[in-house]
């Protein structure tokens, strides 16, 4: 993106130019921006299923497989007496070879023990190599000029005309409608192919239909971003959407929005800086949106994951501190009453009990003071607060429930159960605690609580 902005500064794009592009006042700019936005929208939708199905490389193999079809279509048109520059026929040739490449990948996967990645790697390299050789032969033909065929490799967005816009719009709408109509089937196929087959769904037919839609988007994207970069437009918006939500429907909408925004912004920036190829700028914009999503996405973003990690780390430290304090208090309880009294605890005792380093224990105590779980009596002594004492009793009880469960049902030795329970106890919720209580043999003794000093039934009858 820095390169693009530098180029914009070099081109001296004025505010008036920017407004003219933003408002789509120029006819050609309007065609290009709307075409790439619709292409990005369709790519985001079908690319989401491709990503979830772990077939990201399939789009790359498919796009590279189209190159021989373009060259052969050109040569056939020249032999038939034409100029070879009929775009629909060139795209038809690309589509045929794209489907052929996908079929070859599936055939290799079904008839051999090779995995998907190996089959796609073979098809990608072989078809692209064949395409380069065929383009070389086409350029050597004296009857026709093959100039411009290379634009399908890197894209040539600025050359779009109304027919290209119409083709992209029709195909994009068909892809969107197909994705919405087949949402349930594609979802099942993307998440659990084996279950779909066991339920009697036509998995192979659905797979071919999905790949046919990918092929359609790939072919119409050849002129916009080229066969090398079209895979970025298929996968990048979908991958970015994964950072924003866990819901598939929202993911489709977000991926479509990111794809459309990438096409719109990238084509607009390219219009302001004509020396920058639109396909590359569109991909750079998509990469920028991906980076923003990866950093700030609320579902899987790096920032939110870091905050969650810190929260869990703080929670574990707090629970270790409170349980250690409660177990120290337990060791002092009266042998006859069995009551645990909230008496002062020396900081040195805590440090020895859990083998904390001095700095780590100071950090835990600062957090506990801030959360009002402990009171600092003096620099060397603390006492659990009222809320801290109750929380410590609850944490200790949950820890021992889990220990008893592991001893009874997992056959773990009592001498080792403390470590295993310590790894799991921090995720115990109320439902799991109730289930532990019901699964354990015999009554579970509640934590010792002093009896009420008054008659509860009489108090309840008082208005």
């Amino acid at each position: 993106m820095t390169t693009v902005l530098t180029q914009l500064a070099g081109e001296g794009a004025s505010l008036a130019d920017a407004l003219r592009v933003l408002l789509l006042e120029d006819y050609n700019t309007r065609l290009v921006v709307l075409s790439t936005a619709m292409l990005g929208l369709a790519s985001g939708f079908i690319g989401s299923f491709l990503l979830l199905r772990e077939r990201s490389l399939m789009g790359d193999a498919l796009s590279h497989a189209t190159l021989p079809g373009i060259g052969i279509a050109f040569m056939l048109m020249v032999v038939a007496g034409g100029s070879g520059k009929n775009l629909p026929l060139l795209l038809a040739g690309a589509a045929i070879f794209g489907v052929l490449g996908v079929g070859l990948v599936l055939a290799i996967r079904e008839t051999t023990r090779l995995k998907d990645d190996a089959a796609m790697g073979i098809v990608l390299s072989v078809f692209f190599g064949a395409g380069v050789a065929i383009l070389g032969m086409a350029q050597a033909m004296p009857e026709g000029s093959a100039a411009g065929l290379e634009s399908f490799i890197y894209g040539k967005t600025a050359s779009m005309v109304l027919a290209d816009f119409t083709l992209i719009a029709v195909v994009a709408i068909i892809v969107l409608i197909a994705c919405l109509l087949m949402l349930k089937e594609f979802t099942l196929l993307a998440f659990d192919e084996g279950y779909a087959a066991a339920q009697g769904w036509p998995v192979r037919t659905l797979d071919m239909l999905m790949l046919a839609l990918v092929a359609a988007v790939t072919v119409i994207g050849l002129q916009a971003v080229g066969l090398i970069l079209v895979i970025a437009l298929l996968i990048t918006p979908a991958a970015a959407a994964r950072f924003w939500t866990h819901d598939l429907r929202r993911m489709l909408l977000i991926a479509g929005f990111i794809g459309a925004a990438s096409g719109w912004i990238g084509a607009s920036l390219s219009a302001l800086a004509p020396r920058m190829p639109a396909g590359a700028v569109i991909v750079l914009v998509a990469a920028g949106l991906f980076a923003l999503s990866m950093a700030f996405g609320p579902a899987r973003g790096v920032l939110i994951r870091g905050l969650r990690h810190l929260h869990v780390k703080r929670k574990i430290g707090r629970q270790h501190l409170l349980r250690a304090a409660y177990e120290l208090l337990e060791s002092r309880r009266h042998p006859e009453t069995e009551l645990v009294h909230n008496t002062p605890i020396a900081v040195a005792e805590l440090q020895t009990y859990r083998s904390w380093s001095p700095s780590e224990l100071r950090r835990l105590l600062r957090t506990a003071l801030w959360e009002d779980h402990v009171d600092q009596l003096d620099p060397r002594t603390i006492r659990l607060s009222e809320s801290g004492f109750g929380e410590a009793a609850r944490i200790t009880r949950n820890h021992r429930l889990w220990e008893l469960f592991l001893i009874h049902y997992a056959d773990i030795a009592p001498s080792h159960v403390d470590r295993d329970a310590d790894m799991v106890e921090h995720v115990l919720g109320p439902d799991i605690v109730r289930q532990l209580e019901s699964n354990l043999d015999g009554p579970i003794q509640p934590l010792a609580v002093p009896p009420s000093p008054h008659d509860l039934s009489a108090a309840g009858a008082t208005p």
Side-chain angles (χ1 to χ4, degrees):
M1 288 300 293
T2 304
T3 306
V4 176
L5 296 176
T6 304
Q7 182 70 18
L8 281 175
E11 295 287 342
S14 64
L15 181 61
D17 294 334
L19 286 176
R20 192 174 68 253
V21 171
L22 183 64
L23 298 176
L24 303 178
E25 292 181 359
D26 295 337
Y27 174 76
N28 189 57
T29 302
R30 189 159 55 243
L31 282 183
V32 170
V33 169
L34 293 178
S35 299
T36 51
M38 296 196 70
L39 173 65
L41 179 64
S43 299
F45 266 69
I46 193 61
S48 297
F49 291 112
L50 200 63
L51 179 73
L52 293 173
R53 192 149 165 66
E54 299 179 354
R55 291 268 182 89
S56 300
L57 195 56
M58 180 66 85
D60 206 16
L62 194 156
S63 62
H64 284 72
T66 59
L67 189 57
I70 295 171
I72 291 176
F74 172 83
M75 295 171 71
L76 290 177
M77 283 188 283
V78 171
V79 170
S83 65
K85 295 297 183 63
N86 188 303
L87 182 61
L89 292 180
L90 289 174
L91 294 182
I96 292 172
F97 271 77
V99 173
L100 182 63
V102 171
L104 192 56
V105 170
L106 295 178
I108 293 175
R109 190 190 68 172
E110 295 292 333
T111 57
T112 68
R113 293 187 176 183
L114 292 175
K115 301 293 185 182
D116 278 355
D117 55 346
M120 288 184 280
I122 292 170
V123 171
L124 184 153
S125 55
V126 170
F127 273 70
F128 187 69
V132 172
I134 292 172
L135 281 188
M137 295 168 61
Q139 289 172 339
M141 293 179 71
E143 293 83 359
S145 172
L149 289 185
E150 294 84 357
S151 65
F152 288 101
I153 298 178
Y154 303 108
K156 194 174 182 181
T157 312
S159 64
M160 284 184 175
V161 295
L162 181 60
D164 302 328
F165 167 75
T166 305
L167 177 64
I168 291 176
V170 170
V171 174
I173 291 173
I174 291 174
V175 170
L176 292 175
I177 293 175
C179 287
L180 294 176
L181 292 178
M182 303 297 293
L183 179 60
K184 181 177 68 176
E185 290 79 4
F186 284 173
T187 302
L188 187 59
L189 188 65
F191 285 102
D192 199 337
E193 178 183 349
Y195 178 76
Q199 292 293 313
W201 291 90
V203 172
R204 187 167 299 177
T205 303
L206 292 173
D207 202 16
M208 290 300 296
L209 176 59
M210 182 187 296
L211 292 176
L213 296 176
V214 174
V217 172
T218 302
V219 170
I220 63 172
L222 291 179
Q223 197 176 9
V225 294
L227 62 88
I228 292 179
L229 297 179
V230 71
I231 182 63
L233 204 54
L234 275 169
I235 300 304
T236 307
R242 290 279 281 168
F243 292 109
W244 291 94
T245 181
H246 296 288
D247 184 87
L248 177 62
R249 289 177 174 82
R250 291 178 184 172
M251 178 185 169
L252 291 175
L253 293 175
I254 294 172
F257 172 78
I258 292 176
S262 302
W264 189 294
I265 298 172
S268 299
L269 290 175
S270 180
L272 293 172
R275 294 181 185 177
M276 295 296 293
V281 179
I282 290 171
V283 172
L284 287 175
V285 171
L289 295 176
F290 173 82
L292 286 175
S293 303
M294 185 176 70
F296 302 109
R300 300 168 184 262
V302 174
L303 180 61
I304 194 68
R305 288 180 62 188
L307 292 176
R308 287 174 185 159
H309 176 74
L310 288 176
H311 174 73
V312 172
K313 185 177 179 182
R314 176 177 291 183
K315 177 182 176 182
I316 292 174
R318 179 181 70 241
Q319 292 187 348
H320 284 168
L321 177 69
L322 293 179
R323 183 158 63 85
Y326 190 85
E327 288 176 350
L328 282 173
L329 295 177
E330 262 188 330
S331 64
R332 303 173 186 171
R333 63 186 173 187
H334 195 280
E336 295 182 358
T337 62
E338 295 291 325
L339 291 178
V340 178
H341 297 283
N342 188 11
T343 55
I345 303 171
V347 174
E349 283 185 280
L350 279 173
Q351 186 172 345
T352 305
Y353 192 79
R354 291 284 303 197
S355 301
W356 281 306
S357 65
S359 60
E360 186 178 8
L361 182 57
R362 283 196 297 272
R363 179 179 58 80
L364 291 174
L365 288 175
R366 279 198 303 271
T367 304
L369 282 167
W370 183 75
E371 294 175 340
D372 194 28
H373 284 140
V374 300
D375 297 322
Q376 186 84 49
L377 303 181
D378 60 58
R380 297 182 179 180
T381 311
I382 63 154
R383 181 163 55 193
L384 291 174
S385 66
E386 183 180 354
S387 61
F389 185 72
E391 180 70 3
R394 185 191 67 81
I395 291 170
T396 306
R397 183 172 187 270
N398 289 348
H399 174 80
R400 290 176 184 171
L401 283 175
W402 187 243
E403 283 182 330
L404 289 171
F405 180 85
L406 292 177
I407 292 172
H408 282 80
Y409 292 95
D411 199 23
I412 295 179
S415 58
H416 294 82
V417 74
D418 181 68
R419 180 190 58 189
D420 296 303
D422 197 51
M423 296 172 65
V424 182
E425 65 182 7
H426 310 291
V427 297
L428 294 180
D431 294 338
I432 300 178
V433 171
R434 281 192 290 271
Q435 190 172 355
L436 286 174
E437 291 172 342
S438 63
N439 287 342
L440 291 172
D441 295 332
I444 301 301
Q445 295 297 328
L447 291 172
V449 178
S452 174
H454 60 271
D455 188 355
L456 291 176
S457 59
T462 304

